[in-house]
Every structure is written in structure tokens, then in C-alpha cells.
């Protein structure tokens, strides 16, 4: 009996360096050229990975997302993040351990708990809006980072405003900033390959240890708190969560999951918000309708923004155990399979006039499904915080539309550039506020009067 040799889809024969340049500099154009020439599955290689398969067809994506977790390792595909997140992060685990962590992390992000976070989201937005200049250009990306970090500090870490929250915020930003810059991917690779051998890496490790010092001290403090069960933040919920055997997460596991939630729920949501405002402010008709602040339409605005400008370019699965049959090919053990979020979201057969910003796509009787709209990945690895992120984006969008009068400072939409693991607006989305923001009140409605610099009324 003959055994068939695993076969791979066709792909470019360019040197790895040139393919890397194609990814980093050519972006979507490079991928679209590959798809036109080689089809909906393409074998590629870069300096970061010497063999992987890109997927551009949602039918094949469905096969992949429904494949067995013990054979398709998403955690291994995220290994580059290990030095930052920690080895016990849900993003780096596979198999039974991944499912255990996922079940323990899921409850704080669903049901009644979500409503408790809405007030924190509004308050964070109000505090930031009140600090915006009037009549002078400023960039929204940094402002959105400030909002989402406040939300993480309050809703996830459970810190009230004050010196402790400020210190944690300062240390977290010091750790995140080096990997969220345009050359952040290079730093991630250096951390993975060279360990402690480089000065930049040593500096990053010192910043990471400064964060760990605070987190481990807080973990010890909360474990000793007899009133821990009365707290509503995610941090405390993780300390209390028990698996089917009654076991709780270790200190190291709690630390790794907190840092994971920070990176996944702060930087990515901020980038998504910046893109949303860039697209909306350049689309007069959509902006006029969004100004009515109907939640359903605002949700559609957010989803359409994440379609056109996905924050993460792709997701991955590494084949283990035996070759994986996908789309008529046999993908060998050790190869990574990467659905391209960017290209799937731009397919004209799925999204007519795919470059047009049309939130109405998500209000139609048959809106995009979980295999044609995948900004949060899919299957058992879909982002745990997807509902949290979508809610936060809608709340912040609504609050800004209600209180501020923004217009774009540049005539054209921003171009995308890699900032660490995200695709962010190159110029940060420059805007101008034409008048002082209106006063905010506790009900999420504007009182119709501008705020003075000394008057901040937040929910």
C-alpha cells in the first residue's frame, strides 16, 4: 500500500527576504497579487516563518476553524508573544489546558457582568474627551489608547482612580510602548530568538518585571482579602474561578492572563476605535446617521470598520500529529495555516464594492457570518473579549458623537502600518475639535453646554 506524500498549495518562489518585504511593505496589494496568481490557498515563507499556508476562501476557513484542536495548535502559532504574555496565557495554550483556561476566563465577559463595565467605559471616555484641545489638530490613536487603558485598569484590574492606578498605568504603558511601535515586530522576534542578549531586550525585561512586581503583590493582597467575592472586576473573578476539579489558577497563570487581557483588550481596541473614527469622519452620510446614536447602527459602524480595517491581519494554526487535509491539499506537520482576515474581508463576491464604507451591510437580513467576518478569529479560539471590545467601541463612539464636534484634519484616509502585532493608522488619525465638548451627565446624555477646563462631570 502506497502512502501519498503531503502536498502543498502553489506559491511564490521568491527568496524569504523578498516575501517578508512583500508582507511588510506591499501589504494587501502583495497578498492580492498572490491570490490572483496562485488561488485561494498559497504556500509562502518569510524571515519569521520558513513555511506556511495563507487562506483566502471562507469555505476553507470554516474547515479550519471546525478542525480538531488537538491537531491544529493556535497556541503554538502565537508563540512569538510568549516573552510578553507568559507561557500560561490562554493565547499560547493548546488542547485540554487551553479549554480549561478558556472556561475559567469566559464568565466575567458575559451576562450581567458586562453591564457593570459600561459605566467604566463611559467614565473613561468622558475624562478623555474633556482633555481634548479645541481648534488645534490632535491624533486620536493616543487618545483612544488612554481611554482603553483606563477601562482595563478599572474593569479588568479593578483599580479605582488614584496613585495606585496611575502607577500601574505608567508601568503597563512602559512595557507596551516598545512592542506597539512600527518596529515592534522586530523586538518581538528579538525577544523570542535572542533572549537576554540584547540591550533593548534587557530594557524590555526590566519594564516587564516592574509590571510583575505590582501584579504579584496585588495577587497576594487579594488572595488574603476576606471580601474578595464582593468585587466585580475581572482580576478578582480570575482569582475565585474554579475548574471542574475545584482547582484555581496559580499566581503565574493569573498574571499571564491579566497581561493577555491587557494586550488584547487595550492596544487592539484602541487601534480599532481610531480606524472607526477615521472611516466615519470621512463618510458624511454614515456620520449623519451615526449622530442619531442608535445602538444597532453604531454596532454596524464598528463592524464595518473592523471589516475594512481589521486590527489583526490574520490568525494561525500549526499542524501537529499528522498531516491535515484542507481545501484538497495535505498540509504537512509543522506547517502553519493562516486565514488572511484582510483579504477575506475584501472579497467582492462577499462584499460588493468592498472598499466602500457601508455599515448597512451588517443591518441586512443576511449579514456577514462567522467565516466571512473574522476580526476576532473563530472556532474555539475566537477572542474571549470580543463582546467586551464591541461594547466598548460602541460606548466610546456614542459618547464622542454625543459630546464632541470632530472633523478630519487630513483629506484622505490613513494608510495602515504594522505597530507590533496590529495594523494601525500610520499618522494616528489627526482630527480637529471645533468647539468645547458638551457637559456629560450620569445618564449618558449631553446637557448641551460646553465644559470649561476646570469643569469635568463624568458618570
Amino acid at each position: 500500500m502506497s502512502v501519498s506524500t503531503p502536498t502543498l498549495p502553489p506559491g511564490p518562489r521568491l527568496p524569504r527576504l523578498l516575501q517578508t518585504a512583500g508582507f511588510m511593505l506591499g501589504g494587501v496589494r502583495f497578498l492580492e497579487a498572490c491570490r490572483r496568481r496562485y488561488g485561494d490557498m498559497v504556500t509562502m515563507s518569510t524571515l519569521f516563518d520558513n513555511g506556511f499556508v495563507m487562506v483566502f476562501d471562507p469555505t476553507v476557513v470554516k474547515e479550519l476553524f471546525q478542525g480538531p484542536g488537538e491537531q491544529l495548535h493556535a497556541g503554538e502559532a502565537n508563540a512569538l508573544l510568549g516573552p510578553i504574555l507568559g507561557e500560561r496565557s490562554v493565547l499560547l495554550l493548546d488542547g485540554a489546558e487551553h479549554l480549561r483556561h478558556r472556561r475559567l476566563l469566559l464568565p466575567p465577559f458575559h451576562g450581567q457582568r458586562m453591564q457593570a463595565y459600561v459605566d467604566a467605559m463611559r467614565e473613561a471616555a468622558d475624562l478623555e474627551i474633556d482633555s481634548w484641545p479645541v481648534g488645534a489638530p490632535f491624533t486620536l490613536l493616543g487618545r483612544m489608547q488612554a481611554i482603553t487603558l483606563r477601562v482595563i485598569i478599572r474593569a479588568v484590574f479593578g483599580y479605582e482612580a488614584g496613585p495606585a492606578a496611575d502607577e500601574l498605568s505608567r508601568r503597563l504603558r512602559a512595557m507596551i510602548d516598545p512592542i506597539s511601535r512600527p518596529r515592534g515586530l522586530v523586538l518581538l522576534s528579538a525577544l523570542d530568538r535572542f533572549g537576554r542578549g540584547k540591550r533593548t531586550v534587557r530594557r524590555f525585561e526590566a519594564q516587564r518585571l516592574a509590571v510583575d512586581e505590582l501584579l504579584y503583590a496585588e495577587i497576594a493582597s487579594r488572595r488574603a482579602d476576606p471580601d474578595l467575592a464582593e468585587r466585580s472586576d475581572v482580576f478578582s473573578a480570575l482569582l475565585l474561578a474554579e475548574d471542574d476539579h475545584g482547582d484555581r489558577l496559580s499566581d503565574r497563570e493569573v498574571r499571564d492572563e491579566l497581561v493577555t487581557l491587557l494586550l488584547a483588550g487595550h492596544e487592539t481596541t484602541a487601534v480599532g476605535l481610531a480606524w472607526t473614527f477615521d472611516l466615519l469622519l470621512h463618510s458624511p452620510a454614515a456620520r449623519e446617521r451615526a449622530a442619531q446614536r442608535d445602538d444597532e447602527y453604531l454596532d454596524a459602524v464598528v463592524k464595518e470598520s473592523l471589516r475594512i480595517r481589521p486590527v489583526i491581519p490574520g490568525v494561525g494554526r500549526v499542524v501537529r500529529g499528522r498531516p491535515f487535509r484542507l481545501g484538497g491539499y495535505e498540509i504537512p506537520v509543522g506547517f502553519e495555516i493562516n486565514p488572511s482576515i484582510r483579504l477575506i474581508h475584501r472579497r467582492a463576491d462577499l462584499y460588493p464594492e468592498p472598499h466602500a464604507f457601508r455599515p448597512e451591510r451588517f443591518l441586512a437580513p443576511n449579514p456577514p457570518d462567522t467565516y466571512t467576518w473574522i476580526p476576532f478569529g473563530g472556532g474555539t479560539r475566537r477572542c474571549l473579549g470580543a463582546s467586551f471590545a464591541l461594547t466598548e467601541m460602541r460606548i466610546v463612539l456614542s459618547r464622542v458623537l454625543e459630546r464632541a464636534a470632530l472633523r478630519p484634519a487630513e483629506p484622505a484616509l490613513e494608510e495602515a502600518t504594522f505597530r507590533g502585532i496590529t495594523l494601525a493608522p500610520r499618522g494616528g488619525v489627526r482630527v480637529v475639535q471645533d468647539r468645547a465638548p458638551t457637559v456629560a451627565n450620569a445618564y449618558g446624555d449631553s446637557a448641551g453646554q460646553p465644559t470649561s477646563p476646570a469643569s469635568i462631570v463624568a458618570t
Side-chain angles (χ1 to χ4, degrees):
M1 178 180 176
S2 62
V3 179
S4 60
T5 302
T7 57
L8 287 164
R13 297 181 179 273
L14 296 170
R16 293 170 61 191
L17 178 61
L18 292 181
Q19 292 193 51
T20 304
F23 269 98
M24 302 298 292
L25 303 177
V28 171
R29 291 187 296 275
F30 174 68
L31 294 177
E32 286 177 338
C34 290
R35 183 193 169 210
R36 284 194 301 270
R37 180 164 183 177
Y38 301 107
D40 282 327
M41 295 180 66
V42 180
T43 300
M44 311 183 83
S45 62
T46 68
L47 296 177
F48 301 104
D49 192 334
N50 61 7
F52 59 97
V53 175
M54 294 291 292
V55 176
F56 309 122
D57 182 354
T59 303
V60 179
V61 171
K62 183 176 182 178
E63 287 184 57
L64 181 68
F65 284 172
Q66 293 183 346
E70 65 273 13
Q71 189 182 6
L72 300 170
H73 289 190
E76 188 175 346
N78 294 327
L80 192 65
L81 298 173
I84 297 106
L85 303 183
E87 296 178 355
R88 301 301 294 168
S89 162
V90 69
L91 286 182
L92 274 73
L93 297 173
D94 287 300
E97 275 298 282
H98 166 258
L99 291 176
R100 173 179 176 262
H101 276 238
R102 188 175 177 88
R103 291 190 185 107
L104 292 174
L105 284 164
L106 194 58
F109 293 101
H110 289 273
Q112 293 297 321
R113 287 181 182 268
M114 276 297 300
Q115 185 56 40
Y117 306 143
V118 168
D119 288 343
M121 295 169 183
R122 282 204 190 97
E123 181 178 352
D126 283 332
L127 287 170
E128 181 55 37
I129 291 168
D130 283 317
S131 73
W132 292 352
V134 177
F138 63 97
T139 57
L140 276 180
L141 178 57
R143 308 296 179 147
M144 295 302 110
Q145 288 171 330
I147 291 174
T148 59
L149 184 56
R150 279 197 187 102
V151 172
I152 290 292
I153 295 293
R154 173 84 176 272
V156 173
F157 288 88
Y159 280 67
E160 297 294 337
D166 292 342
E167 180 61 16
L168 177 59
S169 178
R170 185 190 67 78
R171 295 193 191 191
L172 289 172
R173 278 294 345 157
M175 182 181 73
I176 294 172
D177 280 343
I179 60 173
S180 62
R181 294 171 184 160
R183 295 185 181 87
L185 197 61
V186 176
L187 175 58
L188 287 175
S189 179
L191 285 167
D192 186 52
R193 296 185 183 189
F194 302 116
R196 300 166 189 257
K198 301 292 181 179
R199 184 175 63 180
T200 302
V201 174
R202 289 198 301 271
R203 186 185 306 121
F204 173 84
E205 288 189 335
Q207 292 160 342
R208 182 184 59 191
L209 287 172
V211 171
D212 288 353
E213 180 184 26
L214 284 184
L215 292 184
Y216 281 120
E218 185 67 15
I219 288 170
S221 174
R222 294 198 192 191
R223 287 201 189 278
D225 183 359
D227 298 321
L228 180 63
E230 304 303 315
R231 301 181 63 118
S232 60
D233 55 88
V234 177
F235 190 157
S236 300
L238 289 181
L239 291 171
L240 293 168
E242 296 182 351
D243 62 21
D244 294 339
H245 303 289
D247 295 327
R248 294 183 175 180
L249 294 172
S250 67
D251 288 1
R252 175 65 184 275
E253 289 173 323
V254 172
R255 177 268 176 208
D256 290 358
E257 300 301 7
L258 286 172
V259 175
T260 299
L261 293 172
L262 165 72
L263 189 64
H266 159 46
E267 193 71 17
T268 56
T269 305
V271 171
L273 277 165
W275 281 127
T276 299
F277 283 108
D278 190 36
L279 290 160
L280 187 63
L281 295 179
H282 284 92
S283 305
R287 181 182 178 177
E288 183 178 354
R289 183 170 177 183
Q292 300 172 21
R293 297 173 41 241
D294 171 71
D295 282 354
E296 187 177 23
Y297 187 72
L298 295 182
D299 280 335
V301 167
V302 168
K303 290 177 180 178
E304 176 70 345
S305 299
L306 293 174
R307 179 191 71 80
I308 292 180
R309 296 294 197 187
V311 176
I312 304 297
V315 290
R317 306 285 192 275
V318 177
V319 178
R320 290 300 175 200
R322 62 187 184 281
F324 182 67
R325 186 165 184 81
L326 183 70
Y329 297 98
E330 293 279 346
I331 311 302
V333 171
F335 264 70
E336 187 171 328
I337 305 169
N338 295 100
S340 174
I341 299 173
R342 287 187 287 179
L343 254 64
I344 289 171
H345 284 186
R346 290 168 179 253
R347 288 182 62 123
D349 57 336
L350 301 173
Y351 299 99
E353 297 186 64
H355 300 286
F357 181 67
R358 292 182 179 172
E360 292 77 13
R361 301 179 201 271
F362 291 88
L363 301 175
N366 296 302
D369 62 25
T370 54
Y371 304 109
T372 59
W373 185 77
I374 53 173
F376 297 101
T380 59
R381 304 297 302 223
R382 187 174 189 268
C383 176
L384 280 162
S387 295
F388 187 97
L390 291 171
T391 298
E392 182 176 3
M393 291 178 72
R394 173 172 52 80
I395 293 294
V396 173
L397 176 59
S398 178
R399 208 61 165 168
V400 172
L401 289 172
E402 174 194 350
R403 300 193 54 212
L406 299 182
R407 58 180 169 85
E410 309 295 341
L413 291 167
E414 291 267 12
E415 293 185 2
T417 186
F418 277 100
R419 291 173 58 102
I421 61 171
T422 65
L423 281 168
R426 186 183 301 277
V429 184
R430 282 164 47 84
V431 299
V432 176
Q433 182 174 218
D434 288 325
R435 58 160 173 76
T438 55
V439 175
N441 64 37
Y443 300 98
D445 296 312
S446 169
Q449 299 296 324
T451 56
S452 67
S455 173
I456 299 177
V457 183
T459 56

